[in-house]
Amino acid sequence: MSLADEHAGESDSNQPGVDPSVREALAAAARRSAVGHVAPGEAPTSSALLAAMGGIRGLVESILPGLAFLVIFTITQELVASVVAPVVVALGFVVARVVSRTPVSSALVGVLGVALSAGLALITGRAEDNFVLGFVINSLFLIAILVSVIARRPLVGLIATFLVPSAADWREDKAKFRVALIATVLWAALFALRLAVELPLYFAEATQALATAKLLLGVPLYAGVLWVTWLLMRTAYGRSESA
């Protein structure tokens, strides 16, 4: 049994109104999350960071469609070619996963997102509308995180609760709560920064600059915030473990 499973069992008495199947679903989601790849209190490693981002294949699948759009649009200034090429690339990733008999769920989600973005741009005839779906997703994540902060249940702390038993007291332990709050606010800042930089470029119809900003504020910024989150959590949860 994993630490997260043990804690799920321990928390039954603390959350009697929550159905066990719901608790297990939440625990599974926490384990699959980026933070779930390193248990609170453990030292993050470069390999763990890479795993949290889907490995080398995951990085390529995240970056290449957007890079294809930027390169093709910069060279041709053609809408159709620029938005269709990323769809073809994403479909290629699905085929590669099927051939190699690896899970295709993440690649399918990628195809869906790229296809919806391309469809919207083709319908409106505006290349910058290829990024509207990203604005919606970032806005939804930002709202969800802010709600968790306002409710005094920072999202990072909730995830930690389902990962290790020692995180159960995070709302009573001031150090743990402070770390969870700061880390959660960092994630809110990530999504807010993306919107603050990209939306003005969208309204200015600066498509190439927008595509470049999306790449720079994507994987690199995500990796940086994830690493800082792990380091912050280690300061509080590592302290309690050693004590």
Side-chain angles (χ1 to χ4, degrees):
M1 179 181 294
S2 67
L3 290 177
D5 292 327
E6 290 176 12
H7 179 62
E10 289 182 6
S11 61
D12 288 353
S13 60
N14 297 331
Q15 304 177 55
V18 181
D19 187 88
S21 62
V22 175
R23 282 195 297 272
E24 179 53 36
L26 292 173
R31 291 191 293 269
R32 289 194 302 269
S33 70
V35 176
H37 283 77
V38 172
E42 292 184 5
T45 63
S46 56
S47 60
L49 178 64
L50 185 61
M53 302 178 71
I56 297 297
R57 171 176 281 183
L59 289 178
V60 173
E61 292 177 351
S62 298
I63 295 172
L64 201 55
L67 184 60
F69 173 90
L70 175 60
V71 171
I72 293 176
F73 186 80
T74 300
I75 295 173
T76 68
Q77 297 293 307
E78 290 289 335
L79 170 63
V80 175
S82 300
V83 298
V84 169
V87 177
V88 174
V89 171
L91 284 172
F93 292 143
V94 174
V95 173
R97 283 182 175 269
V98 170
V99 171
S100 61
R101 297 184 179 180
T102 54
V104 300
S105 56
S106 60
L108 287 174
V109 171
V111 168
L112 178 62
V114 173
L116 288 175
S117 297
L120 182 58
L122 291 172
I123 290 172
T124 63
R126 302 174 71 243
E128 56 270 21
D129 284 342
N130 186 61
F131 302 94
V132 169
L133 180 61
F135 298 150
V136 173
I137 293 173
N138 280 285
S139 298
L140 291 176
F141 274 119
L142 177 59
I143 291 171
I145 291 172
L146 290 178
V147 168
S148 78
V149 171
I150 293 172
R152 303 293 289 174
R153 284 170 172 76
L155 190 58
V156 171
L158 292 175
I159 293 174
T161 300
F162 288 101
L163 295 177
V164 291
S166 63
D169 64 343
W170 69 277
R171 295 191 66 214
E172 290 73 36
D173 187 312
K174 291 184 178 180
K176 291 180 182 178
F177 182 84
R178 189 181 302 114
V179 163
L181 180 62
I182 293 173
T184 303
V185 169
L186 275 178
W187 285 100
L190 177 149
F191 296 113
L193 178 61
R194 287 176 176 173
L195 293 170
V197 172
E198 295 173 12
L199 281 174
L201 296 175
Y202 169 79
F203 290 116
E205 299 183 359
T207 306
Q208 290 167 255
L210 177 55
T212 303
K214 184 176 178 64
L215 286 173
L216 294 177
L217 297 176
V219 171
L221 184 61
Y222 177 88
V225 172
L226 181 57
W227 189 263
V228 172
T229 298
W230 285 344
L231 293 178
L232 282 172
M233 293 180 72
R234 190 186 182 204
T235 62
Y237 293 93
R239 171 188 57 79
S240 61
E241 289 291 339
S242 60

